[in-house]
């Protein structure tokens, strides 16, 4: 059954084109990175009045700059990441034993939750704001002729060029980092629910697959705690076999600490949706369906939903919270339970000596 009221409910708000969002959302990127070249060593001899044999005074060249990936909370997509980056080159060594300046580092901002892979292997996982990874080291600066001064060679003419920077081809993969993940089939009302509990504005319409990319909304509480909730695009049966865009959607659930299974109470046997969703998650990654969760029965404002709600509570072992994203019915109970799940997660992380993810 469709949910046409969803579209009318947000009719007066600013329209957001999912096609526009898709254009700018990128969760994979192939990047070639090259460190800056080291500066050449200097070649000169000291010269001043009444000092004929001043000796060598060519300084060493400066080191090349690194290329560094830095996780930034403000970045939501890899769309702004270019396909090639190079660190700045070091400067040549000067006379009078002056060293060349080091090349500046090239910082590349990436979203929190970015995986860095090389040849299929994960080399970095940037899960914290401000976390850095040196993607390509700059080359070392060359030696000036002053470096080669010795008792055997009092006037060395030898100097070395700077070394080239490291060159690598890396694959960046974004996995949305959020505390909670909204998991459900298309048209279950996940986007409407996210709009109702946060300030996020994913596209809403009366047809399935309205959401084509993950959206993260922030739920604010009176004690200034913030819980991040991710709206994962709708799954279909066989998603773990990459049917539709299964793998592209499922990977964004991996980092969610707890799950909210959003079911459409207006369809026949909504508990079968829960079974199918758990099967897809478990088939994709073992243990994924066993994370802390709550079942959210959406569209309780519809007549058929009241009948199915009682049957769902008999079939489901998990707690079931019936809500209406359209009318706002029972959202307070959902927000209170969401906070309970968050507090449990924080205590668990702290007891293990780890820092919980904060937004």
């Amino acid at each position: 059954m469709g949910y046409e009221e969803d579209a009318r409910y947000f009719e007066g708000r600013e329209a957001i084109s999912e096609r526009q969002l898709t254009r700018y959302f990128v969760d994979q990127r192939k990047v070639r990175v090259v460190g800056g070249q080291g500066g050449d060593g200097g070649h000169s001899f000291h010269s001043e009045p009444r000092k004929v044999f001043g000796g060598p005074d060519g300084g060493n060249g400066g080191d090349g700059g690194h290329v560094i990936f830095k996780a930034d909370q403000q970045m939501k997509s890899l769309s702004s990441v270019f396909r090639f980056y190079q660190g700045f080159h070091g400067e040549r060594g000067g006379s009078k034993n002056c060293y060349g300046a080091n090349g500046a580092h090239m910082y590349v901002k990436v979203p929190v939750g970015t995986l860095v892979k090389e040849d299929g292997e994960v080399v970095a996982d940037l899960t914290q704001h401000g976390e850095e990874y040196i993607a390509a080291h700059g080359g070392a600066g060359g030696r000036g002729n002053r470096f080669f001064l010795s008792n055997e060679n009092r006037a060395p003419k030898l100097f070395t060029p700077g070394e080239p920077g490291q060159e690598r081809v890396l694959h960046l993969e974004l996995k949305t980092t959020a505390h909670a993940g909204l998991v459900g089939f298309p048209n279950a009302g996940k986007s409407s629910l996210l709009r109702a509990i946060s300030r996020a504005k994913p596209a809403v319409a009366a047809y399935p697959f309205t959401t084509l990319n993950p959206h993260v909304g922030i739920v604010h509480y009176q004690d200034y705690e913030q819980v991040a909730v991710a709206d994962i695009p709708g799954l279909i049966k066989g998603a773990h076999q990459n049917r539709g865009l299964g793998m592209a959607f499922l990977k964004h659930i991996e980092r969610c600490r707890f799950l909210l299974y959003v079911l459409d109470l207006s369809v026949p046997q909504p508990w079968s949706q829960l079974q199918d969703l758990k099967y897809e998650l478990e088939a994709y990654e073992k243990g994924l369906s066993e994370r802390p969760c709550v079942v959210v029965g959406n569209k309780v404002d519809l007549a058929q939903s009241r009948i199915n709600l009682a049957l769902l509570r008999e079939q489901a072992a998990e707690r079931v919270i019936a809500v209406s994203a359209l009318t706002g019915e029972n959202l307070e109970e959902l927000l209170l339970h969401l906070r309970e799940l968050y507090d449990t997660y924080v205590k668990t992380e702290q007891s293990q000596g780890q820092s919980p993810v904060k937004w």
Side-chain angles (χ1 to χ4, degrees):
M1 179 176 179
Y3 208 30
E4 290 81 1
E5 292 89 348
D6 281 6
R8 293 201 301 269
Y9 179 72
F10 298 104
E11 195 171 330
R13 301 193 181 187
E14 181 180 354
I16 294 180
S17 168
E18 187 69 23
R19 183 172 296 179
Q20 284 183 319
L21 293 174
T22 302
R23 185 190 312 168
Y24 297 114
F25 183 85
V26 178
D27 57 5
Q28 293 189 37
R29 182 74 88 191
K30 181 179 179 180
V31 183
R32 186 166 72 94
V33 290
V34 181
Q37 169 125 4
D40 296 338
H43 176 259
S44 61
F45 289 87
H46 184 69
S47 176
E48 64 177 273
R50 295 182 298 277
K51 194 168 185 179
V52 181
F53 301 106
D57 68 351
N60 296 339
D63 295 334
H66 306 323
V67 178
I68 302 175
F69 293 144
K70 185 173 184 177
D72 191 321
Q73 195 81 45
Q74 300 299 320
M75 303 290 292
K76 303 303 179 186
S77 168
L78 295 172
S79 59
S80 60
V81 177
F82 298 133
R83 300 187 182 276
F84 175 74
Y85 288 97
Q86 183 169 27
F88 293 93
H89 301 318
E91 294 186 4
R92 181 186 180 92
S95 60
K96 299 182 180 179
N97 296 321
C98 290
Y99 282 38
N102 293 334
H105 300 318
M106 171 68 73
Y107 284 90
V108 181
K109 291 183 179 181
V110 297
V112 174
T114 298
L115 278 175
V116 184
K117 295 183 178 180
E118 185 176 25
D119 297 330
E121 295 186 4
V122 177
V123 295
D125 189 0
L126 306 177
T127 58
Q128 300 289 337
H129 175 71
E131 192 173 356
E132 297 180 359
Y133 172 69
I134 300 178
H137 290 267
R143 303 295 188 182
N145 65 337
R146 176 70 174 80
F147 176 82
F148 297 100
L149 178 64
S150 65
N151 291 332
E152 291 75 21
N153 188 358
R154 304 303 298 171
K157 296 182 180 180
L158 176 64
F159 66 97
T160 59
E163 296 181 0
Q166 183 183 18
E167 182 173 353
R168 304 169 73 186
V169 176
L170 302 174
H171 293 265
L172 304 185
E173 181 178 321
L174 173 61
K175 294 185 178 180
T176 303
T177 300
H179 299 118
L182 298 175
V183 184
F185 285 111
N187 217 32
K190 299 183 299 300
S191 297
S192 299
L193 184 60
L194 185 64
R195 294 182 72 133
I197 64 177
S198 73
R199 296 178 182 175
K201 290 180 172 54
V204 173
Y207 50 83
F209 291 108
T210 312
T211 302
L212 299 178
N213 299 303
H215 296 269
V216 178
I218 307 299
V219 180
H220 299 268
Y221 290 91
Q222 291 183 350
D223 59 354
Y224 302 105
E225 282 287 359
Q226 298 180 352
V227 179
V229 182
D231 174 18
I232 308 300
L235 303 177
I236 63 173
K237 290 184 179 180
H240 69 281
Q241 298 173 338
N242 208 24
R243 291 182 182 174
L245 292 174
M247 293 296 189
F249 293 167
L250 284 167
K251 69 180 181 182
H252 291 285
I253 306 176
E254 289 183 42
R255 298 186 187 276
C256 295
R257 274 59 180 182
F258 41 92
L259 305 176
L260 278 65
Y261 293 102
V262 182
L263 308 182
D264 183 354
L265 289 177
S266 65
V267 302
Q269 299 183 341
W271 51 88
S272 63
Q273 297 181 29
L274 179 61
Q275 297 170 354
D276 292 338
L277 289 171
K278 286 190 170 184
Y279 173 78
E280 294 298 332
L281 296 185
E282 194 65 24
Y284 174 73
E285 181 181 315
K286 189 175 182 180
L288 192 58
S289 65
E290 299 174 1
R291 294 186 182 180
C293 67
V294 63
V295 178
V296 181
N298 194 20
K299 308 183 185 180
V300 73
D301 53 303
L302 301 179
Q304 184 62 34
S305 300
R306 300 288 180 179
I307 302 173
N308 290 335
L309 175 59
L311 298 175
L312 174 62
R313 282 177 169 155
E314 293 178 1
Q315 296 286 337
E318 298 82 6
R319 178 175 177 177
V320 178
I321 300 178
V323 303
S324 171
L326 177 64
T327 65
E329 181 180 349
N330 218 23
L331 288 181
E332 185 175 353
E333 181 183 352
L334 174 61
L335 292 175
L336 289 174
H337 188 67
L338 181 66
R339 180 58 190 269
E340 292 176 7
L341 291 171
Y342 172 76
D343 290 339
T344 302
Y345 154 71
V346 171
K347 291 178 181 177
T348 302
E349 292 291 296
Q350 291 176 343
S351 65
Q352 296 175 353
Q354 299 179 0
S355 299
V357 175
K358 294 285 186 177
W359 279 74

